[in-house]
Amino acid sequence: MEKVYLQLYSLGQEMQNLPNALKKISEIGYTGVEFASSFYGDLDSAELKKMLDEFGLTALSAHVSLDKVNADVELVSALGAQYMICPMATANNRSEALSLAEKLNEAGELCKKYGMKYGYHNHTQEFAEYDGEYLLDILIKNTDPSLVVFQLDVGWATTAGINAVDYINKQAGRFEMIHAKETGKVMGVQPPFDFSKIQLDENGRPVFTPEMLKHFDDMQRTNVAQGKGLVDWKAVKSAAEAQGTKAFIVEREFDYLGDIFAAVKEDLAYMRTV
């Protein structure tokens, strides 16, 4: 695989020093990046574009939640990105799924004015079934393909118990991007996490119970070294490219080496063999 991108969420706190992070990503050999959490290093688009060009990196995409699309669209477009992607949203039933699809279409209409598409990235919860259909199926069926794309996170899909190759073939034509995340364990479909119900401390930070923290840690630790888990990446690549996937993006949840840059370097080295 020649071109491989990195989702900056992978870097954890290292992402906060964006110039250093981009420099190291470039030295490792990634083609470009996908921005995360509407974080752009407190740089304007001109400064950030200059930095990306200096390091020879392409801004492919940015994970931007539905409530931040209007605020981010001009900056992301100015970087030359092709996509803005919803990283997560909650839909607890079919009605809420249809409402979410409508919001994705609206975001897609706005992105179209800036030469981009909007998209949706899955976790395990999108494989919950409502009236015999996966939530993700409902979103795909009820969004306009000319406006809304889907970014299949193969790791989370596999963790949910889904055969990624079969699902790509089932929804052929809708997955313009693949998140190349490895997993070593099937945990099934996890219920949607409603952050609105989380209590905040006096500083406005979320307060998680020990049970919540253990669950988060267990989920992250399913993300093993690339090529050492359950995913048949050659089969995924073949199926994905056959249906029109344009980019593969490494995303790392768990730093299994204690050095995140070393870990994403190993991820890239493996993907180069696929």
Side-chain angles (χ1 to χ4, degrees):
M1 188 179 295
E2 182 180 351
K3 293 184 177 181
V4 184
Y5 300 83
L6 181 70
Q7 162 56 246
L8 290 175
Y9 171 84
S10 307
L11 302 181
Q13 288 302 308
E14 296 289 347
M15 182 177 73
Q16 299 302 311
N17 185 346
L18 193 57
N20 182 64
L22 293 177
K23 181 175 184 292
K24 287 189 174 183
I25 291 166
S26 173
E27 290 170 349
I28 289 169
Y30 279 94
T31 305
V33 298
E34 180 175 61
F35 288 91
S37 307
S38 292
F39 179 74
Y40 310 103
D42 297 321
L43 301 169
D44 63 30
S45 58
E47 293 170 322
L48 191 48
K49 183 68 166 64
K50 181 179 179 181
M51 188 178 299
L52 289 165
D53 290 344
E54 177 184 346
F55 294 133
L57 295 170
T58 298
L60 173 72
S61 177
H63 271 197
V64 179
S65 59
L66 280 161
D67 62 336
K68 298 286 183 63
V69 173
N70 282 282
D72 288 16
V73 66
E74 288 190 12
L75 185 150
V76 175
S77 173
L79 298 179
Q82 301 175 51
Y83 307 96
M84 294 173 70
I85 304 294
C86 179
M88 178 187 285
T90 300
N92 295 295
N93 52 54
R94 185 177 186 84
S95 176
E96 291 181 9
L98 292 172
S99 177
L100 175 55
E102 184 176 349
K103 292 175 183 176
L104 294 174
N105 281 326
E106 290 170 359
E109 289 278 9
L110 176 61
C111 286
K112 183 178 180 179
K113 296 176 182 178
Y114 289 84
M116 297 185 294
K117 291 181 180 179
Y118 197 58
Y120 190 84
H121 164 272
N122 67 280
H123 290 75
T124 67
Q125 67 187 38
E126 285 77 15
F127 295 99
E129 291 192 43
Y130 302 141
D131 299 330
E133 287 186 291
Y134 294 139
L135 164 58
L136 193 54
D137 288 331
I138 297 171
L139 296 180
I140 290 171
K141 183 186 293 186
N142 291 280
T143 48
D144 183 340
S146 70
L147 303 174
V148 179
V149 302
F150 288 83
Q151 182 182 74
L152 185 67
D153 189 306
V154 170
W156 285 135
T158 306
T159 300
I162 301 299
N163 182 301
V165 171
D166 289 347
Y167 195 73
I168 289 167
N169 291 331
K170 174 185 174 182
Q171 296 290 1
R174 296 307 300 271
F175 296 114
E176 291 200 14
M177 288 175 285
I178 295 292
H179 260 203
K181 182 183 293 169
E182 184 62 91
T183 187
K185 185 178 181 180
V186 173
M187 295 185 70
V189 177
Q190 304 300 300
F193 194 81
D194 189 351
F195 285 93
S196 68
K197 295 181 180 179
I198 295 298
Q199 292 183 339
L200 303 179
D201 66 15
E202 63 275 10
N203 297 311
R205 292 178 299 220
V207 178
F208 298 115
T209 66
E211 292 77 15
M212 289 178 181
L213 292 173
K214 184 180 185 307
H215 177 70
F216 295 154
D217 187 61
D218 288 345
M219 290 296 288
Q220 284 187 319
R221 286 175 182 271
T222 64
N223 183 204
V224 297
Q226 204 77 2
K228 301 294 185 182
L230 303 177
V231 180
D232 182 342
W233 284 107
K234 291 187 185 297
V236 168
K237 178 177 182 286
S238 178
E241 290 184 338
Q243 63 86 62
T245 290
K246 295 179 172 59
F248 290 82
I249 306 164
V250 165
E251 183 181 30
R252 174 143 295 285
E253 298 281 344
F254 180 63
D255 176 9
Y256 62 95
L257 291 176
D259 179 344
I260 191 57
F261 289 108
V264 298
K265 182 176 182 179
E266 285 195 358
D267 289 335
L268 177 63
Y270 176 78
M271 294 308 293
R272 293 283 194 222
T273 70
V274 175

